[in-house]
């Protein structure tokens, strides 16, 4: 299995001279598996547009495009590129789309395909030439054929969001985004008038256990691509509950899980190339000699 | 008036559409529509309504986990899914149920008295579990099992009130516990009705066992004896102390085996009186109701 990162930015695309090295496209990942370079795409941020260009140049030359797109969740930065993915306009394309839908929300085809309405875009879903089928996903294990196995796990984010673990031929690749570490949301100050001792105690245990489950989900993975939008300092200052992880958390929990290569992604829109360079160097300096795990900051175009 | 298998069938159809108790719907709407609601408030308001609690848990499990009852605690659900998700689920459950509510014929059971009795049993069961130093992680189960033990009375009251009335009348005339009167008059009990609900809502088998056996605990052969026996004690306490009313004017004192297995004396149960009343008062103030 090989991956190429087509978008490593979170929240909103960030073109400009300050973001050229790490890239400004929002999240999109290309996964190639056996046999014959089978194509799987994870998320359709703005980075899926150039991926579409590549796919037309390589896969389409060999025949109709067949692919599966797995959405981690339906926040805009992970779906915005979909109308610009050229294969959806090609009649012979066969596409299966998978993703979680938050309860009570519209079904997946409305949420993703719903971007293709006249008020937003000049082509409607009904006018697409490709054959597209939508599949709602929850926590599950799937046999994708060709010895490729998929396991999904709910992450911690304001809407239903799935982590994906792909395994084939003894190799495993895991995505953990978008994700914020679980924490005890209940009041823990005994002097507070609303303090409920059993809720506080149970909350503490629940948060620890759920975090452990995520750690286990990453266990011994060859590559983990992990949400890391903030430093611990930024997070504690005013980003609690925003749905994202810190570099420190991602590094610590991946290390405990025995991950071989950790790729830190979902860069904050405000983060410049120089800042990311500095962060990468600093964190690598801090962990030098303490772990066999490789820690890399995700860059657009990176191949692993 | 219907009884036996006909009664069972009529109730089965009704169970799916059961509305939450009127006491808490107002507070639930207020809490859930307030963006500043804390997890503590949300946990409290849902937990205090047995029907809403059961429905929200069922919804959480089916919406996210298919048929396996993965999440059995509301606290954990709030941690795993976040405050807003659970709030939305609670609102839609409460609203849908209220909108779909039929106008009932006269209610035989006083619903507020029923709520108070259910809450008392939940609170007492949990306090007893603390006295016995049960693992804090499991104390919530004691509360939930106590809160939901008499759920079977609701469909009987709302769907087939004539049958419930017949049972009440038999209990009064023969001065026997309601459970026995139900068996005599209807060949069907609220325990069985409760188990139908628990099966339909796919709640844990601990909650089901307690609902089914809380009037005949010595016949129980399952794994949740401590839980069952604790709720039996708590139920007797609530009935004797006349905290709320769930239709039992002649409660049966639990057999000695219940006390001996739990290692609890009746004096210890009675000693919880003040704490139980405090918890109940707090709940009443919280829900802004006057009973």
């Amino acid at each position: 299995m090989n991956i190429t990162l087509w978008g490593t930015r979170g929240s909103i695309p960030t073109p400009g001279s300050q973001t050229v090295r790490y890239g400004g496209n929002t999240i999109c990942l290309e996964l190639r598996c056996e046999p014959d370079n089978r194509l799987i795409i994870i998320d359709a941020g703005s980075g899926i547009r150039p991926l579409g260009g590549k796919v037309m140049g390589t896969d389409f030359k060999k025949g109709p495009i067949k692919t599966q797109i797995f959405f981690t969740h339906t926040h805009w930065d992970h779906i915005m590129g979909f109308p610009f993915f050229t294969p959806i306009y090609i009649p012979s394309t066969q596409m299966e789309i998978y993703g979680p839908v938050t309860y009570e929300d519209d079904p997946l085809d409305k949420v993703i395909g719903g971007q293709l309405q006249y008020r937003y875009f000049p082509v409607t879903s009904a006018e697409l030439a490709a054959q597209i089928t939508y599949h709602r996903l929850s926590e599950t294990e799937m046999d994708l054929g060709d010895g490729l196995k998929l396991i999904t796990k709910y992450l911690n984010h304001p809407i239903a969001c799935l982590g994906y673990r792909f395994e084939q031929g003894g190799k495993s690749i895991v995505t953990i985004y978008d994700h914020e570490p679980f924490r005890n949301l209940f009041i823990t100050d005994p002097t507070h008038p609303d303090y409920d001792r059993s809720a506080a105690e149970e909350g503490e245990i629940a948060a620890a256990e759920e975090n452990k489950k995520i750690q286990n989900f990453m266990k011994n993975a060859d590559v983990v691509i992990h949400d890391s939008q903030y430093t611990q300092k930024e997070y504690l200052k005013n980003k609690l509950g925003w749905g994202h992880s810190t570099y420190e958390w991602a590094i610590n929990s991946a290390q405990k899980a025995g991950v071989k290569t950790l790729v830190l992604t979902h860069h904050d829109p405000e983060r410049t190339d120089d800042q990311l360079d500095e962060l990468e160097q600093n964190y690598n300096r801090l962990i030098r000699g303490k772990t066999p795990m490789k820690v890399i900051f995700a860059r657009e175009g990176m191949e692993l | 008036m219907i009884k036996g298998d006909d009664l069972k069938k009529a109730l089965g159809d009704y169970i799916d559409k059961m509305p939450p108790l009127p006491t808490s719907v107002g507070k639930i709407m207020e809490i859930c529509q307030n963006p500043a609601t804390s997890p503590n408030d949300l946990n409290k308001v849902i937990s205090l309504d047995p029907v809403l609690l059961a429905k929200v848990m069922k919804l959480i499990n089916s919406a996210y986990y298919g048929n396996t009852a993965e999440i059995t605690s509301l606290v954990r659900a709030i941690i795993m899914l976040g405050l807003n998700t659970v709030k939305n689920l609670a609102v839609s459950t409460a609203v849908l149920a209220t909108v779909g509510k039929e106008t009932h014929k006269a209610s035989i059971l006083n619903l507020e008295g029923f709520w108070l009795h259910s809450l008392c049993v939940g609170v007492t069961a949990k306090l007893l579990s603390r006295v016995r130093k049960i693992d804090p992680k499991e104390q919530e189960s004691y509360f939930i099992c106590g809160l939901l033990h008499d759920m079977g009375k609701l469909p009987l009251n709302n769907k087939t009130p004539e049958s419930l009335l017949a049972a009440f009348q038999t209990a009064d005339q023969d001065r026997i516990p309601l459970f026995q009167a139900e068996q005599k008059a209807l060949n069907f009990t609220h325990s069985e009705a409760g188990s139908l609900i628990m099966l339909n809502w796919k709640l844990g088998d601990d909650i089901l066992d307690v609902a089914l056996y809380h009037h005949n605990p010595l016949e129980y052969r399952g794994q949740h004896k401590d839980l069952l026996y604790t709720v039996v004690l708590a139920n007797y306490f609530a009935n004797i102390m006349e905290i709320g009313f769930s239709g039992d004017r002649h409660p049966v004192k639990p057999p000695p085996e219940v006390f001996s297995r739990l290692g609890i004396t009746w004096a210890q149960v009675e000693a919880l009186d003040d704490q139980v009343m405090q918890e109940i008062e707090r709940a009443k103030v919280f829900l802004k109701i006057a009973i």
Side-chain angles (χ1 to χ4, degrees):
Chain A
M1 288 193 288
N2 295 307
I3 57 180
T4 307
L5 305 177
W6 289 86
T8 61
R9 192 69 56 171
S11 309
I12 189 166
T14 55
S17 56
Q18 310 256 37
T19 53
V20 171
R21 296 198 300 276
Y22 285 82
N25 273 313
T26 64
I27 303 283
C28 176
L29 191 150
E30 175 192 9
L31 174 66
R32 293 284 184 175
C33 312
E34 300 295 327
D36 299 328
N37 242 8
R38 175 177 170 178
L39 173 62
I40 288 188
I41 302 171
I42 301 168
D43 285 340
S46 63
I48 202 175
R49 184 194 55 81
L51 169 58
K54 174 195 164 180
V55 164
M56 292 307 292
T58 56
D59 300 61
F60 191 49
K61 286 213 158 66
K62 298 184 202 154
I65 297 164
K66 236 183 116 176
T67 180
Q68 289 157 313
I69 306 185
F70 289 87
F71 283 90
T72 58
H73 63 303
T74 53
H75 273 157
W76 195 42
D77 49 336
H78 295 251
I79 67 170
M80 61 168 49
F82 183 71
F84 296 89
F85 184 54
T86 305
I88 67 178
Y89 301 102
I90 311 294
S92 58
T93 298
Q94 283 176 7
M95 191 177 290
E96 284 179 298
I97 293 182
Y98 297 84
V101 188
T102 304
Y103 173 73
E104 265 217 327
D105 211 339
D106 287 329
L108 196 61
D109 60 315
K110 277 236 162 57
V111 177
I112 304 209
Q115 298 176 100
L116 293 118
Q117 295 176 57
Y118 280 137
R119 61 163 63 130
Y120 302 127
F121 196 71
V123 180
T124 64
S125 274
E127 292 164 330
L128 295 181
Q131 272 176 21
I132 305 178
T133 49
Y134 288 86
H135 307 271
R136 185 187 168 191
L137 273 188
S138 53
E139 261 189 17
T140 188
E141 279 190 30
M142 280 170 74
D143 179 356
L144 296 174
D146 306 322
L148 181 62
K149 182 173 155 191
L150 169 65
I151 309 162
T152 68
K153 172 95 191 69
Y154 282 120
L155 303 177
N156 186 27
H157 200 59
I159 59 170
C161 181
L162 288 173
Y164 290 114
R165 182 176 177 121
F166 290 91
E167 293 176 351
Q168 191 183 48
K171 206 171 161 199
S172 51
I173 285 166
V174 181
T175 62
I176 305 277
Y177 51 80
D178 291 1
H179 177 66
E180 178 176 354
F182 291 98
R183 59 194 174 90
N184 187 4
L185 302 174
F186 293 88
I187 294 164
T188 49
D189 174 7
T191 62
H192 192 287
D194 292 339
Y195 176 67
D196 175 342
R197 194 178 121 198
S198 63
E201 285 172 359
E202 197 186 340
E204 209 64 43
I205 294 168
E209 285 182 359
E210 293 308 314
N211 281 328
K212 187 84 184 147
K213 285 183 197 166
I214 303 288
Q215 199 181 298
N216 288 341
F217 185 65
M218 292 192 280
K219 204 170 166 86
N220 299 331
D222 293 90
V223 179
V224 168
I225 307 113
H226 200 297
D227 182 323
S228 51
Q229 190 145 340
Y230 306 118
T231 63
Q232 185 73 354
K233 200 165 153 195
E234 288 163 351
Y235 177 66
L236 291 174
K237 183 170 175 202
N238 53 13
K239 302 287 195 252
L240 283 164
W242 283 46
H244 296 287
S245 297
T246 63
Y247 302 105
E248 290 86 344
W249 178 271
I251 292 171
N252 281 326
S253 66
Q255 202 268 323
K256 284 188 205 143
V259 170
K260 302 191 179 71
T261 301
L262 174 65
V263 180
L264 297 169
T265 190
H266 211 276
H267 303 311
D268 191 273
E270 300 304 314
R271 216 73 88 179
T272 64
D273 287 336
D274 289 343
Q275 287 167 353
L276 286 168
D277 277 342
E278 198 183 326
L279 286 166
E280 190 180 36
Q281 281 162 28
N282 284 346
Y283 285 111
N284 271 298
R285 196 168 12 93
L286 282 170
I287 63 171
R288 191 167 302 142
K290 294 186 183 151
T291 174
M293 183 174 75
K294 261 174 74 179
V295 174
I296 312 174
F297 274 52
R299 290 175 193 237
E300 218 173 287
M302 192 173 252
E303 288 175 19
L304 291 151
Chain B
M1 180 202 72
I2 46 175
K3 50 187 186 166
D5 280 340
D6 290 335
L7 179 56
K8 189 172 172 181
K9 180 161 189 314
L11 294 178
D13 293 336
Y14 174 81
I15 278 166
D16 247 339
K17 309 186 201 90
M18 272 172 68
L21 298 177
T23 357
S24 39
V25 171
K27 183 69 178 181
I28 287 160
M29 297 308 295
E30 182 199 318
I31 289 239
C32 289
Q33 281 159 357
N34 176 1
T37 290
S38 75
N40 285 58
D41 281 346
L42 185 67
N43 179 42
K44 208 156 155 190
V45 79
I46 297 175
S47 303
L48 288 173
D49 182 321
V51 180
L52 183 65
L53 173 66
K55 287 189 144 195
V56 168
M57 294 313 299
K58 181 191 181 197
L59 196 54
I60 286 172
N61 281 295
S62 63
Y64 290 95
Y65 293 96
N67 285 325
T68 39
E70 282 276 346
I71 314 183
T72 50
S73 124
L74 185 60
V75 164
R76 185 168 290 250
I78 292 173
I79 300 273
M80 283 170 89
L81 301 174
L83 190 58
N84 284 332
T85 302
V86 178
K87 248 203 240 177
N88 291 338
L89 289 169
V91 165
S92 51
T93 308
V95 166
L96 280 178
T98 322
V99 161
K101 202 162 126 180
E102 320 135 29
T103 6
H104 297 141
K105 314 167 202 176
S107 182
I108 303 302
L109 203 55
N110 173 287
L111 290 177
E112 283 170 355
F114 170 79
W115 172 80
L116 193 50
H117 169 82
S118 299
L119 178 65
C120 179
V121 175
V123 163
T124 309
K126 185 168 163 183
L127 288 171
L128 281 171
S129 77
R130 235 184 251 162
V131 164
R132 294 181 66 241
K133 300 201 186 348
I134 296 290
D135 187 337
K137 239 168 49 173
E138 290 171 30
Q139 285 175 17
E140 214 48 46
S141 297
Y142 282 75
F143 175 75
I144 293 176
C145 286
L147 189 71
L148 302 181
H149 77 285
D150 259 352
M151 287 284 277
K153 287 181 186 163
L154 288 179
L156 277 168
N157 182 61
N158 295 343
K159 180 71 178 176
T160 54
E162 322 80 6
S163 300
L164 188 63
L165 181 61
F168 268 51
Q169 286 168 341
T170 305
D172 273 345
Q173 278 159 20
D174 298 359
R175 289 185 202 277
I176 53 176
L178 183 62
F179 178 70
Q180 285 174 23
E182 285 169 346
Q183 274 170 330
K184 187 171 175 186
L186 308 174
N187 205 19
F188 188 77
T189 66
H190 69 272
S191 305
E192 291 168 78
S195 72
L196 284 182
I197 298 175
M198 304 315 168
L199 275 171
N200 182 285
W201 290 357
K202 296 192 177 65
L203 298 177
D205 50 68
D206 50 350
I207 302 177
L208 190 149
D209 288 351
V210 170
L212 192 52
Y213 285 96
H214 69 275
H215 284 293
N216 49 340
L218 296 185
E219 288 174 32
Y220 179 65
R221 297 278 172 273
Q223 292 175 320
H224 305 287
K225 265 201 187 137
D226 278 18
L227 198 44
L228 173 64
Y229 286 12
T230 305
V231 171
V232 167
L233 265 191
N235 191 25
Y236 181 64
F237 172 80
N239 282 324
I240 284 292
M241 307 293 283
E242 293 184 350
I243 300 169
F245 180 65
S246 190
D248 234 330
R249 268 188 244 279
H250 307 281
V252 173
K253 185 163 187 182
E257 290 92 323
V258 169
F259 288 94
S260 59
R261 183 189 164 102
L262 295 178
I264 293 261
T265 63
W266 179 242
Q268 278 177 294
V269 182
E270 277 185 313
L272 294 174
D273 186 22
D274 280 344
Q275 272 181 282
V276 169
M277 291 319 295
Q278 257 176 42
E279 291 281 337
I280 292 177
E281 277 314 306
R282 246 187 265 153
K284 280 201 230 166
V285 166
F286 179 72
L287 293 175
K288 293 196 187 112
I289 52 166
I291 295 184

